[in-house]
Amino acid sequence: MTTSSVFDSPADPGRNVLCVGAAVLDTLFRVRALPTGQGKILPYDMLQVAEGMASSAAFAVARLGGHASLWGAVGDDATGERIITDLGNSGIDTSGMVRVAGARSAVSTILVDDQGERLIVPFYDAALHETVKPVTKQDLSAFDAVLVDVRWPKLALRTLSAAGEAGKPAILDGDVAGDGVIEMLAPAASHIVFSQPAAERLTGTAEPAKAVGLLKRKFEHAFISVTSGENGSFWFDDQTGEIAHLAAPKVRAVDTLAAGDIFHGAFALAIAGGMPIAETMRLSSMAAALKCQVFGGRIGAPGRAEVCDALRGWDALVTTMRGR
């Protein structure tokens, strides 16, 4: 059983993380099974929540006791106002959000089945991200780390670059993106946590461990990890030159939506607090697993005490394998 005192304080609660990217109004429908063809499907539960990769990660930071700020864009419409209000009421500093005149706020419809899997239909108005403000290292002086997703690539690149100039962790959520987006952002990142689908798309292999090695060759300057859901997380250990693997906590998944985002938020807060990588991965994995037990997307993000209690009861062993 893990009892290390470091888990009693997973990150300095004073740490301030800036998240940059998606802010979406999601409509979630809970269904017995995902559709396989045309027709009508009747949900037995639903809710609406403002989330998105960066937004959900920011919520995870706040839930774990950190200070979370969000830079994203919404339209000058009622949906945009609802998104900002919802996120602000969730403990996220939204003062850096942009309201774009004439643009439509991002929305998505999501089906979640009884196994926790989901089908997502998102809509992003291209006009939301046409204008990009300059970002300097002075603009990031209040933050201990930045985390960007792939939904606003130009702003993400400027933020990562400014963080690098300021000597602060510049973390990239390497999810599936348009052609060339990851290749544009990765050189400016100090840490990249890829989703398994994005890693497979970039490397051509469905084996996460192999993908880690290939991605490390491609982006040698950065910490490289691949998360693979119930298969756990994999990363390149820069000290040993080996690939490390942490099995995922065993949970009954009710809703996997936003689990990766919760992982990224926990990861960013831990890195901002100087936590060693192996412990950072344990913290992030547990936070994501606990989220999966709750329907409602990012609403299921666990609090600091819940994560600490779960970590003390989790016999998590990191295994290693040959590196590149």
Side-chain angles (χ1 to χ4, degrees):
M1 181 177 294
T2 299
T3 59
S4 174
S5 62
V6 72
F7 296 134
D8 295 325
S9 181
D12 182 348
R15 298 297 178 176
N16 197 336
V17 177
L18 170 64
C19 300
V20 179
V24 188
L25 182 63
D26 284 347
T27 301
L28 281 63
F29 293 105
R30 201 169 185 185
V31 298
R32 296 301 180 193
L34 296 179
T36 58
Q38 65 177 355
K40 181 181 293 186
I41 184 168
L42 298 178
Y44 64 90
D45 198 0
M46 71 85 66
L47 64 81
Q48 288 186 309
V49 58
E51 48 188 2
M53 289 185 286
S55 299
S56 297
F59 183 61
V61 170
R63 288 283 288 149
L64 291 171
H67 301 294
S69 298
L70 178 66
W71 289 358
V74 297
D76 60 344
D77 51 21
T79 299
E81 187 61 34
R82 179 171 178 179
I83 290 170
I84 291 176
T85 299
D86 190 356
L87 295 174
N89 289 340
S90 298
I92 300 168
D93 180 356
T94 60
S95 60
M97 293 289 290
V98 177
R99 292 175 172 84
V100 182
R104 291 170 290 176
S105 296
V107 296
S108 69
T109 297
I110 302 169
L111 303 183
V112 180
D113 71 13
D114 282 348
Q115 285 68 53
E117 296 303 322
R118 73 272 195 203
L119 176 66
I120 305 175
V121 183
F123 173 76
Y124 290 89
D125 188 340
L128 283 173
H129 301 148
E130 286 180 349
T131 302
V132 184
K133 66 179 182 179
V135 181
T136 68
K137 63 180 183 180
Q138 288 76 26
D139 294 323
L140 303 182
S141 60
F143 304 109
D144 298 297
V146 302
L147 167 66
V148 308
D149 69 29
V150 295
R151 290 292 176 256
W152 196 348
K154 292 180 180 179
L155 181 60
L157 179 58
R158 291 187 180 184
T159 305
L160 290 173
S161 299
E165 292 176 10
K168 299 184 179 186
I171 304 161
L172 171 60
D173 177 348
D175 203 353
V176 175
D179 291 342
V181 170
I182 294 292
E183 290 83 356
M184 178 181 75
L185 298 177
S190 61
H191 300 71
I192 312 173
V193 181
F194 292 94
S195 66
Q196 193 277 331
E200 182 174 350
R201 181 173 175 179
L202 288 167
T203 64
T205 178
E207 300 177 31
K210 184 177 181 180
V212 167
L214 293 171
L215 290 165
K216 184 63 180 180
R217 291 177 194 169
K218 190 175 182 68
F219 308 117
E220 291 189 345
H221 66 287
F223 167 80
I224 297 295
S225 174
V226 173
T227 60
S228 186
E230 63 183 10
N231 297 316
S233 54
F234 301 76
W235 67 95
F236 189 86
D237 188 323
D238 290 298
Q239 293 184 333
T240 65
E242 295 179 320
I243 294 170
H245 173 241
L246 178 66
K250 300 296 184 182
V251 297
R252 179 183 178 277
V254 171
D255 176 11
T256 59
L257 180 67
D261 308 328
I262 302 309
F263 185 105
H264 285 90
F267 180 92
L269 183 60
I271 292 297
M275 181 178 281
I277 285 295
E279 292 158 4
T280 293
M281 300 302 283
R282 288 188 178 97
L283 168 68
S284 306
S285 298
M286 182 57 71
L290 292 173
K291 181 260 120 12
C292 290
Q293 298 181 116
V294 180
F295 172 70
R298 59 104 173 161
I299 290 175
R304 180 189 181 98
E306 183 182 359
V307 174
C308 289
D309 287 345
L311 284 169
R312 283 193 291 270
W314 183 31
D315 186 12
L317 297 177
V318 176
T319 59
T320 59
M321 55 198 77
R322 182 178 296 179
R324 292 177 289 175

